[in-house]
Amino acid sequence: MIISTDGLGRDFLVGSRLRRTRVTAVADVTLDVARGEAVGFLGPNGAGKSTTIKMLTGVLVPSAGTARVCGLDPVRERKALARRIGVVFGQRSQLWWDLPLAESFALHGAIHRVPPARHRERLEECVELLDMAAFLATPVRQLSLGQRMRGEVTAALLHSPELLVLDEPTIGLDLASKERLRTFLSAVNARGDVTLLLTTHDLPDVERLCRRVVVIDRGRVLVDDDLATLRRRFAGHRTLVVELVEPAGPLHGLTGVVDVAVEAQGLRQRLEFTGATTAAALIADVARRVEIRDVGVDEPSIEDLVRTLYASS
């Protein structure tokens, strides 16, 4: 396992010297992440995500439980662990503000003692896939946010880490920059080069990159399952969008359908249905009543899923 925790917890003392209160930020987090996985680590603000990440990277000492990351104790073997992981924080930079981006990359390679040939190969790959050639000579302080985030991800990957921890990596980015980063990270993970642990409030990041989702709230894990299973268990209603050859009135009375919306003068209908039927069965029912030109299924978003989880917790 790349990450393995057992009963991991962290308490903080808050208040004045005379009156302090113990607050539990993380409680009894037991988690295993296998090599090559891409895991979305989700939760509202204050859920315990950042505290957990700080314990996994050796920044914070756990109050309870144990953690192993890349086979190492994050606290006792923090320096060795730093050579085997990469971390990207969306609102904190690991680049040198006044240096050209290329010199920041050279310094990172030197710090991690990456052999020159391997450094050059990895950098050329990142520059090509993230389209950074045009601004390598630009000081970091002059880069746009999207350009800087591409640089942050590259810096975190130059030493070929086994684990890449991404904390809000697309925060504030425009749509084009977000898509470029998602495509790159998906490709890197698909090759098995690196395991991804992603925390984000930008749920399309999770939908694009992760097959598994861990949801945490009030310091405790609510759900740990693959994305497809979570959709089936918690996402509720789905919508079948039907394009018709000829206009028709609302297609009421179909098994499992709880709402019908008619659009385009009856040429398009949206049929909201429950688990009482399947998309295939519903399409067959519709086809027996009208002639179909095209169909599609709108799946509930991860945002809907997480909202349902919070409501039921």
mmCIF file of all heavy atoms in Angstrom, residues 205-246:
data_model
loop_
_atom_site.group_PDB
_atom_site.id
_atom_site.type_symbol
_atom_site.label_atom_id
_atom_site.label_comp_id
_atom_site.label_asym_id
_atom_site.label_seq_id
_atom_site.Cartn_x
_atom_site.Cartn_y
_atom_site.Cartn_z
ATOM 1 N N ASP A 205 -13.224 17.839 -11.026
ATOM 2 C CA ASP A 205 -11.886 17.254 -10.907
ATOM 3 C C ASP A 205 -11.991 15.790 -10.509
ATOM 4 O O ASP A 205 -11.303 14.918 -11.053
ATOM 5 C CB ASP A 205 -11.062 17.986 -9.837
ATOM 6 C CG ASP A 205 -10.643 19.377 -10.255
ATOM 7 O OD1 ASP A 205 -10.816 19.720 -11.434
ATOM 8 O OD2 ASP A 205 -10.149 20.124 -9.382
ATOM 9 N N VAL A 206 -12.850 15.517 -9.524
ATOM 10 C CA VAL A 206 -13.018 14.151 -9.030
ATOM 11 C C VAL A 206 -13.633 13.269 -10.106
ATOM 12 O O VAL A 206 -13.187 12.139 -10.342
ATOM 13 C CB VAL A 206 -13.899 14.144 -7.763
ATOM 14 C CG1 VAL A 206 -14.068 12.726 -7.231
ATOM 15 C CG2 VAL A 206 -13.283 15.033 -6.697
ATOM 16 N N GLU A 207 -14.652 13.772 -10.771
ATOM 17 C CA GLU A 207 -15.313 12.983 -11.806
ATOM 18 C C GLU A 207 -14.354 12.619 -12.928
ATOM 19 O O GLU A 207 -14.445 11.540 -13.505
ATOM 20 C CB GLU A 207 -16.516 13.754 -12.352
ATOM 21 C CG GLU A 207 -17.622 13.932 -11.321
ATOM 22 C CD GLU A 207 -18.812 14.692 -11.875
ATOM 23 O OE1 GLU A 207 -18.615 15.801 -12.415
ATOM 24 O OE2 GLU A 207 -19.937 14.182 -11.769
ATOM 25 N N ARG A 208 -13.427 13.521 -13.229
ATOM 26 C CA ARG A 208 -12.501 13.288 -14.336
ATOM 27 C C ARG A 208 -11.332 12.383 -13.932
ATOM 28 O O ARG A 208 -10.862 11.568 -14.738
ATOM 29 C CB ARG A 208 -11.962 14.633 -14.832
ATOM 30 C CG ARG A 208 -10.959 14.532 -15.972
ATOM 31 C CD ARG A 208 -11.611 13.988 -17.246
ATOM 32 N NE ARG A 208 -10.624 13.873 -18.290
ATOM 33 C CZ ARG A 208 -10.294 14.867 -19.112
ATOM 34 N NH1 ARG A 208 -10.881 16.041 -18.997
ATOM 35 N NH2 ARG A 208 -9.382 14.680 -20.037
ATOM 36 N N LEU A 209 -10.866 12.497 -12.691
ATOM 37 C CA LEU A 209 -9.608 11.854 -12.313
ATOM 38 C C LEU A 209 -9.753 10.606 -11.452
ATOM 39 O O LEU A 209 -8.871 9.746 -11.481
ATOM 40 C CB LEU A 209 -8.722 12.861 -11.560
ATOM 41 C CG LEU A 209 -8.244 14.075 -12.350
ATOM 42 C CD1 LEU A 209 -7.565 15.069 -11.425
ATOM 43 C CD2 LEU A 209 -7.300 13.652 -13.458
ATOM 44 N N CYS A 210 -10.817 10.510 -10.660
ATOM 45 C CA CYS A 210 -10.856 9.500 -9.595
ATOM 46 C C CYS A 210 -11.920 8.430 -9.834
ATOM 47 O O CYS A 210 -13.044 8.738 -10.219
ATOM 48 C CB CYS A 210 -11.124 10.174 -8.248
ATOM 49 S SG CYS A 210 -9.926 11.465 -7.841
ATOM 50 N N ARG A 211 -11.534 7.182 -9.557
ATOM 51 C CA ARG A 211 -12.504 6.087 -9.568
ATOM 52 C C ARG A 211 -13.047 5.826 -8.169
ATOM 53 O O ARG A 211 -14.109 5.245 -8.013
ATOM 54 C CB ARG A 211 -11.859 4.809 -10.097
ATOM 55 C CG ARG A 211 -11.384 4.891 -11.538
ATOM 56 C CD ARG A 211 -10.877 3.540 -12.035
ATOM 57 N NE ARG A 211 -10.292 3.644 -13.349
ATOM 58 C CZ ARG A 211 -9.019 3.924 -13.580
ATOM 59 N NH1 ARG A 211 -8.210 4.124 -12.552
ATOM 60 N NH2 ARG A 211 -8.544 4.005 -14.804
ATOM 61 N N ARG A 212 -12.307 6.242 -7.154
ATOM 62 C CA ARG A 212 -12.683 5.986 -5.771
ATOM 63 C C ARG A 212 -12.815 7.303 -5.014
ATOM 64 O O ARG A 212 -12.075 8.243 -5.267
ATOM 65 C CB ARG A 212 -11.612 5.113 -5.114
ATOM 66 C CG ARG A 212 -11.805 4.827 -3.635
ATOM 67 C CD ARG A 212 -10.652 3.987 -3.126
ATOM 68 N NE ARG A 212 -10.595 3.930 -1.674
ATOM 69 C CZ ARG A 212 -9.518 3.549 -0.989
ATOM 70 N NH1 ARG A 212 -8.417 3.179 -1.641
ATOM 71 N NH2 ARG A 212 -9.541 3.522 0.325
ATOM 72 N N VAL A 213 -13.779 7.348 -4.110
ATOM 73 C CA VAL A 213 -14.039 8.560 -3.344
ATOM 74 C C VAL A 213 -14.100 8.226 -1.860
ATOM 75 O O VAL A 213 -14.759 7.269 -1.455
ATOM 76 C CB VAL A 213 -15.368 9.214 -3.778
ATOM 77 C CG1 VAL A 213 -15.687 10.404 -2.883
ATOM 78 C CG2 VAL A 213 -15.308 9.649 -5.231
ATOM 79 N N VAL A 214 -13.383 9.009 -1.056
ATOM 80 C CA VAL A 214 -13.467 8.938 0.405
ATOM 81 C C VAL A 214 -14.067 10.258 0.871
ATOM 82 O O VAL A 214 -13.530 11.324 0.570
ATOM 83 C CB VAL A 214 -12.082 8.724 1.042
ATOM 84 C CG1 VAL A 214 -12.191 8.757 2.565
ATOM 85 C CG2 VAL A 214 -11.477 7.418 0.569
ATOM 86 N N VAL A 215 -15.185 10.173 1.573
ATOM 87 C CA VAL A 215 -15.859 11.373 2.066
ATOM 88 C C VAL A 215 -15.666 11.452 3.568
ATOM 89 O O VAL A 215 -15.963 10.499 4.299
ATOM 90 C CB VAL A 215 -17.361 11.354 1.729
ATOM 91 C CG1 VAL A 215 -18.028 12.638 2.233
ATOM 92 C CG2 VAL A 215 -17.566 11.216 0.220
ATOM 93 N N ILE A 216 -15.163 12.596 4.042
ATOM 94 C CA ILE A 216 -14.889 12.797 5.463
ATOM 95 C C ILE A 216 -15.687 13.995 5.956
ATOM 96 O O ILE A 216 -15.870 14.983 5.232
ATOM 97 C CB ILE A 216 -13.368 13.004 5.704
ATOM 98 C CG1 ILE A 216 -13.046 13.065 7.197
ATOM 99 C CG2 ILE A 216 -12.854 14.218 4.976
ATOM 100 C CD1 ILE A 216 -11.547 13.080 7.491
ATOM 101 N N ASP A 217 -16.191 13.920 7.171
ATOM 102 C CA ASP A 217 -16.897 15.037 7.781
ATOM 103 C C ASP A 217 -16.736 14.941 9.292
ATOM 104 O O ASP A 217 -16.770 13.844 9.863
ATOM 105 C CB ASP A 217 -18.382 15.007 7.401
ATOM 106 C CG ASP A 217 -19.093 16.309 7.761
ATOM 107 O OD1 ASP A 217 -18.390 17.321 7.967
ATOM 108 O OD2 ASP A 217 -20.334 16.324 7.832
ATOM 109 N N ARG A 218 -16.516 16.080 9.931
ATOM 110 C CA ARG A 218 -16.300 16.145 11.379
ATOM 111 C C ARG A 218 -15.179 15.198 11.816
ATOM 112 O O ARG A 218 -15.240 14.572 12.873
ATOM 113 C CB ARG A 218 -17.589 15.841 12.139
ATOM 114 C CG ARG A 218 -18.759 16.746 11.764
ATOM 115 C CD ARG A 218 -19.997 16.410 12.585
ATOM 116 N NE ARG A 218 -21.151 17.160 12.102
ATOM 117 C CZ ARG A 218 -22.037 16.663 11.235
ATOM 118 N NH1 ARG A 218 -21.903 15.441 10.779
ATOM 119 N NH2 ARG A 218 -23.046 17.389 10.840
ATOM 120 N N GLY A 219 -14.175 15.071 10.938
ATOM 121 C CA GLY A 219 -13.001 14.280 11.271
ATOM 122 C C GLY A 219 -13.140 12.786 11.092
ATOM 123 O O GLY A 219 -12.200 12.041 11.363
ATOM 124 N N ARG A 220 -14.300 12.318 10.629
ATOM 125 C CA ARG A 220 -14.533 10.883 10.485
ATOM 126 C C ARG A 220 -14.900 10.539 9.046
ATOM 127 O O ARG A 220 -15.553 11.331 8.351
ATOM 128 C CB ARG A 220 -15.659 10.413 11.417
ATOM 129 C CG ARG A 220 -15.346 10.609 12.896
ATOM 130 C CD ARG A 220 -16.477 10.127 13.788
ATOM 131 N NE ARG A 220 -16.169 10.359 15.197
ATOM 132 C CZ ARG A 220 -15.465 9.524 15.952
ATOM 133 N NH1 ARG A 220 -15.008 8.390 15.427
ATOM 134 N NH2 ARG A 220 -15.221 9.798 17.220
ATOM 135 N N VAL A 221 -14.505 9.353 8.615
ATOM 136 C CA VAL A 221 -14.830 8.895 7.268
ATOM 137 C C VAL A 221 -16.289 8.468 7.219
ATOM 138 O O VAL A 221 -16.725 7.592 7.969
ATOM 139 C CB VAL A 221 -13.921 7.723 6.849
ATOM 140 C CG1 VAL A 221 -14.376 7.152 5.507
ATOM 141 C CG2 VAL A 221 -12.467 8.182 6.764
ATOM 142 N N LEU A 222 -17.063 9.119 6.342
ATOM 143 C CA LEU A 222 -18.464 8.749 6.160
ATOM 144 C C LEU A 222 -18.606 7.586 5.200
ATOM 145 O O LEU A 222 -19.358 6.638 5.454
ATOM 146 C CB LEU A 222 -19.264 9.941 5.620
ATOM 147 C CG LEU A 222 -19.377 11.188 6.493
ATOM 148 C CD1 LEU A 222 -20.213 12.233 5.769
ATOM 149 C CD2 LEU A 222 -19.997 10.850 7.837
ATOM 150 N N VAL A 223 -17.907 7.671 4.070
ATOM 151 C CA VAL A 223 -18.027 6.662 3.016
ATOM 152 C C VAL A 223 -16.681 6.500 2.334
ATOM 153 O O VAL A 223 -15.944 7.470 2.147
ATOM 154 C CB VAL A 223 -19.088 7.071 1.965
ATOM 155 C CG1 VAL A 223 -19.101 6.100 0.794
ATOM 156 C CG2 VAL A 223 -20.477 7.134 2.579
ATOM 157 N N ASP A 224 -16.359 5.269 1.986
ATOM 158 C CA ASP A 224 -15.159 4.956 1.215
ATOM 159 C C ASP A 224 -15.559 3.893 0.201
ATOM 160 O O ASP A 224 -15.754 2.731 0.546
ATOM 161 C CB ASP A 224 -14.052 4.445 2.138
ATOM 162 C CG ASP A 224 -12.779 4.079 1.389
ATOM 163 O OD1 ASP A 224 -12.776 4.124 0.145
ATOM 164 O OD2 ASP A 224 -11.783 3.735 2.051
ATOM 165 N N ASP A 225 -15.714 4.313 -1.063
ATOM 166 C CA ASP A 225 -16.200 3.365 -2.067
ATOM 167 C C ASP A 225 -15.818 3.861 -3.455
ATOM 168 O O ASP A 225 -15.382 5.005 -3.619
ATOM 169 C CB ASP A 225 -17.719 3.212 -1.971
ATOM 170 C CG ASP A 225 -18.180 1.786 -2.275
ATOM 171 O OD1 ASP A 225 -17.483 1.092 -3.053
ATOM 172 O OD2 ASP A 225 -19.211 1.376 -1.738
ATOM 173 N N ASP A 226 -15.995 2.997 -4.457
ATOM 174 C CA ASP A 226 -15.719 3.437 -5.818
ATOM 175 C C ASP A 226 -16.844 4.348 -6.289
ATOM 176 O O ASP A 226 -17.985 4.271 -5.812
ATOM 177 C CB ASP A 226 -15.523 2.247 -6.762
ATOM 178 C CG ASP A 226 -16.784 1.440 -6.946
ATOM 179 O OD1 ASP A 226 -17.589 1.802 -7.817
ATOM 180 O OD2 ASP A 226 -16.970 0.455 -6.202
ATOM 181 N N LEU A 227 -16.525 5.212 -7.241
ATOM 182 C CA LEU A 227 -17.438 6.254 -7.674
ATOM 183 C C LEU A 227 -18.727 5.682 -8.250
ATOM 184 O O LEU A 227 -19.824 6.173 -7.954
ATOM 185 C CB LEU A 227 -16.731 7.132 -8.714
ATOM 186 C CG LEU A 227 -17.474 8.349 -9.233
ATOM 187 C CD1 LEU A 227 -17.946 9.228 -8.089
ATOM 188 C CD2 LEU A 227 -16.571 9.140 -10.165
ATOM 189 N N ALA A 228 -18.625 4.633 -9.049
ATOM 190 C CA ALA A 228 -19.818 4.054 -9.666
ATOM 191 C C ALA A 228 -20.780 3.506 -8.615
ATOM 192 O O ALA A 228 -22.002 3.691 -8.709
ATOM 193 C CB ALA A 228 -19.411 2.946 -10.642
ATOM 194 N N THR A 229 -20.235 2.832 -7.591
ATOM 195 C CA THR A 229 -21.083 2.287 -6.529
ATOM 196 C C THR A 229 -21.748 3.399 -5.734
ATOM 197 O O THR A 229 -22.931 3.308 -5.381
ATOM 198 C CB THR A 229 -20.259 1.392 -5.593
ATOM 199 O OG1 THR A 229 -19.697 0.319 -6.345
ATOM 200 C CG2 THR A 229 -21.113 0.824 -4.472
ATOM 201 N N LEU A 230 -21.012 4.466 -5.449
ATOM 202 C CA LEU A 230 -21.592 5.586 -4.725
ATOM 203 C C LEU A 230 -22.739 6.215 -5.494
ATOM 204 O O LEU A 230 -23.763 6.597 -4.914
ATOM 205 C CB LEU A 230 -20.524 6.637 -4.440
ATOM 206 C CG LEU A 230 -19.527 6.320 -3.333
ATOM 207 C CD1 LEU A 230 -18.505 7.432 -3.214
ATOM 208 C CD2 LEU A 230 -20.236 6.126 -2.004
ATOM 209 N N ARG A 231 -22.574 6.322 -6.797
ATOM 210 C CA ARG A 231 -23.666 6.863 -7.616
ATOM 211 C C ARG A 231 -24.920 6.004 -7.463
ATOM 212 O O ARG A 231 -26.023 6.510 -7.292
ATOM 213 C CB ARG A 231 -23.253 6.910 -9.080
ATOM 214 C CG ARG A 231 -22.309 8.049 -9.442
ATOM 215 C CD ARG A 231 -22.183 8.121 -10.947
ATOM 216 N NE ARG A 231 -21.235 9.124 -11.372
ATOM 217 C CZ ARG A 231 -21.478 10.420 -11.430
ATOM 218 N NH1 ARG A 231 -22.650 10.872 -11.043
ATOM 219 N NH2 ARG A 231 -20.564 11.271 -11.852
ATOM 220 N N ARG A 232 -24.737 4.686 -7.541
ATOM 221 C CA ARG A 232 -25.905 3.797 -7.452
ATOM 222 C C ARG A 232 -26.550 3.864 -6.073
ATOM 223 O O ARG A 232 -27.775 3.820 -5.947
ATOM 224 C CB ARG A 232 -25.489 2.352 -7.755
ATOM 225 C CG ARG A 232 -25.124 2.109 -9.214
ATOM 226 C CD ARG A 232 -25.059 0.624 -9.519
ATOM 227 N NE ARG A 232 -24.017 -0.036 -8.761
ATOM 228 C CZ ARG A 232 -22.757 -0.185 -9.186
ATOM 229 N NH1 ARG A 232 -22.397 0.302 -10.360
ATOM 230 N NH2 ARG A 232 -21.860 -0.805 -8.451
ATOM 231 N N ARG A 233 -25.740 3.985 -5.029
ATOM 232 C CA ARG A 233 -26.277 3.942 -3.663
ATOM 233 C C ARG A 233 -26.932 5.246 -3.227
ATOM 234 O O ARG A 233 -27.938 5.239 -2.529
ATOM 235 C CB ARG A 233 -25.149 3.612 -2.668
ATOM 236 C CG ARG A 233 -24.661 2.188 -2.723
ATOM 237 C CD ARG A 233 -23.490 1.994 -1.777
ATOM 238 N NE ARG A 233 -23.823 2.334 -0.402
ATOM 239 C CZ ARG A 233 -22.903 2.502 0.563
ATOM 240 N NH1 ARG A 233 -21.617 2.372 0.281
ATOM 241 N NH2 ARG A 233 -23.276 2.806 1.781
ATOM 242 N N PHE A 234 -26.352 6.386 -3.649
ATOM 243 C CA PHE A 234 -26.779 7.640 -3.057
ATOM 244 C C PHE A 234 -27.302 8.681 -4.043
ATOM 245 O O PHE A 234 -27.876 9.677 -3.630
ATOM 246 C CB PHE A 234 -25.615 8.275 -2.285
ATOM 247 C CG PHE A 234 -25.153 7.457 -1.122
ATOM 248 C CD1 PHE A 234 -23.976 6.722 -1.209
ATOM 249 C CD2 PHE A 234 -25.880 7.408 0.043
ATOM 250 C CE1 PHE A 234 -23.534 5.970 -0.135
ATOM 251 C CE2 PHE A 234 -25.443 6.660 1.122
ATOM 252 C CZ PHE A 234 -24.280 5.933 1.032
ATOM 253 N N ALA A 235 -27.085 8.475 -5.329
ATOM 254 C CA ALA A 235 -27.351 9.572 -6.252
ATOM 255 C C ALA A 235 -28.831 9.784 -6.550
ATOM 256 O O ALA A 235 -29.216 10.828 -7.042
ATOM 257 C CB ALA A 235 -26.592 9.349 -7.565
ATOM 258 N N GLY A 236 -29.685 8.790 -6.271
ATOM 259 C CA GLY A 236 -31.115 9.000 -6.452
ATOM 260 C C GLY A 236 -31.537 8.940 -7.906
ATOM 261 O O GLY A 236 -31.147 8.035 -8.634
ATOM 262 N N HIS A 237 -32.311 9.915 -8.342
ATOM 263 C CA HIS A 237 -32.941 9.870 -9.652
ATOM 264 C C HIS A 237 -31.956 10.157 -10.785
ATOM 265 O O HIS A 237 -30.994 10.900 -10.616
ATOM 266 C CB HIS A 237 -34.086 10.868 -9.713
ATOM 267 C CG HIS A 237 -35.174 10.573 -8.720
ATOM 268 N ND1 HIS A 237 -36.246 11.408 -8.538
ATOM 269 C CD2 HIS A 237 -35.355 9.534 -7.864
ATOM 270 C CE1 HIS A 237 -37.041 10.900 -7.604
ATOM 271 N NE2 HIS A 237 -36.508 9.775 -7.180
ATOM 272 N N ARG A 238 -32.241 9.555 -11.939
ATOM 273 C CA ARG A 238 -31.515 9.835 -13.180
ATOM 274 C C ARG A 238 -32.515 10.368 -14.195
ATOM 275 O O ARG A 238 -33.726 10.277 -13.991
ATOM 276 C CB ARG A 238 -30.843 8.558 -13.700
ATOM 277 C CG ARG A 238 -29.914 7.911 -12.694
ATOM 278 C CD ARG A 238 -29.698 6.443 -13.005
ATOM 279 N NE ARG A 238 -28.878 6.239 -14.179
ATOM 280 C CZ ARG A 238 -28.811 5.093 -14.846
ATOM 281 N NH1 ARG A 238 -29.530 4.042 -14.460
ATOM 282 N NH2 ARG A 238 -28.022 4.962 -15.900
ATOM 283 N N THR A 239 -32.006 10.929 -15.293
ATOM 284 C CA THR A 239 -32.885 11.510 -16.302
ATOM 285 C C THR A 239 -32.559 10.943 -17.677
ATOM 286 O O THR A 239 -31.405 11.000 -18.116
ATOM 287 C CB THR A 239 -32.757 13.041 -16.335
ATOM 288 O OG1 THR A 239 -33.086 13.570 -15.045
ATOM 289 C CG2 THR A 239 -33.702 13.644 -17.370
ATOM 290 N N LEU A 240 -33.584 10.395 -18.324
ATOM 291 C CA LEU A 240 -33.457 9.928 -19.705
ATOM 292 C C LEU A 240 -33.911 11.053 -20.628
ATOM 293 O O LEU A 240 -35.038 11.551 -20.515
ATOM 294 C CB LEU A 240 -34.327 8.687 -19.935
ATOM 295 C CG LEU A 240 -34.270 8.086 -21.343
ATOM 296 C CD1 LEU A 240 -32.927 7.418 -21.588
ATOM 297 C CD2 LEU A 240 -35.409 7.102 -21.558
ATOM 298 N N VAL A 241 -33.019 11.479 -21.524
ATOM 299 C CA VAL A 241 -33.342 12.539 -22.486
ATOM 300 C C VAL A 241 -33.632 11.870 -23.829
ATOM 301 O O VAL A 241 -32.774 11.194 -24.394
ATOM 302 C CB VAL A 241 -32.185 13.541 -22.617
ATOM 303 C CG1 VAL A 241 -32.579 14.663 -23.573
ATOM 304 C CG2 VAL A 241 -31.796 14.096 -21.259
ATOM 305 N N VAL A 242 -34.856 12.066 -24.321
ATOM 306 C CA VAL A 242 -35.307 11.374 -25.523
ATOM 307 C C VAL A 242 -35.568 12.395 -26.623
ATOM 308 O O VAL A 242 -36.346 13.338 -26.440
ATOM 309 C CB VAL A 242 -36.599 10.567 -25.259
ATOM 310 C CG1 VAL A 242 -36.981 9.760 -26.500
ATOM 311 C CG2 VAL A 242 -36.430 9.658 -24.065
ATOM 312 N N GLU A 243 -34.895 12.240 -27.768
ATOM 313 C CA GLU A 243 -35.167 13.040 -28.960
ATOM 314 C C GLU A 243 -36.090 12.234 -29.869
ATOM 315 O O GLU A 243 -35.785 11.083 -30.220
ATOM 316 C CB GLU A 243 -33.859 13.369 -29.695
ATOM 317 C CG GLU A 243 -32.809 14.084 -28.864
ATOM 318 C CD GLU A 243 -33.106 15.565 -28.725
ATOM 319 O OE1 GLU A 243 -34.012 16.063 -29.428
ATOM 320 O OE2 GLU A 243 -32.417 16.211 -27.910
ATOM 321 N N LEU A 244 -37.237 12.835 -30.269
ATOM 322 C CA LEU A 244 -38.252 12.116 -31.034
ATOM 323 C C LEU A 244 -38.242 12.522 -32.500
ATOM 324 O O LEU A 244 -37.858 13.641 -32.854
ATOM 325 C CB LEU A 244 -39.630 12.398 -30.439
ATOM 326 C CG LEU A 244 -39.799 12.099 -28.939
ATOM 327 C CD1 LEU A 244 -41.207 12.441 -28.491
ATOM 328 C CD2 LEU A 244 -39.466 10.656 -28.633
ATOM 329 N N VAL A 245 -38.693 11.604 -33.340
ATOM 330 C CA VAL A 245 -38.813 11.890 -34.779
ATOM 331 C C VAL A 245 -39.973 12.842 -35.035
ATOM 332 O O VAL A 245 -39.891 13.759 -35.864
ATOM 333 C CB VAL A 245 -39.004 10.572 -35.567
ATOM 334 C CG1 VAL A 245 -39.287 10.865 -37.045
ATOM 335 C CG2 VAL A 245 -37.771 9.692 -35.431
ATOM 336 N N GLU A 246 -41.087 12.638 -34.324
ATOM 337 C CA GLU A 246 -42.266 13.478 -34.441
ATOM 338 C C GLU A 246 -42.647 14.024 -33.069
ATOM 339 O O GLU A 246 -42.425 13.361 -32.053
ATOM 340 C CB GLU A 246 -43.448 12.664 -35.000
ATOM 341 C CG GLU A 246 -43.224 12.101 -36.393
ATOM 342 C CD GLU A 246 -43.241 13.168 -37.473
ATOM 343 O OE1 GLU A 246 -43.760 14.278 -37.200
ATOM 344 O OE2 GLU A 246 -42.729 12.911 -38.581
#
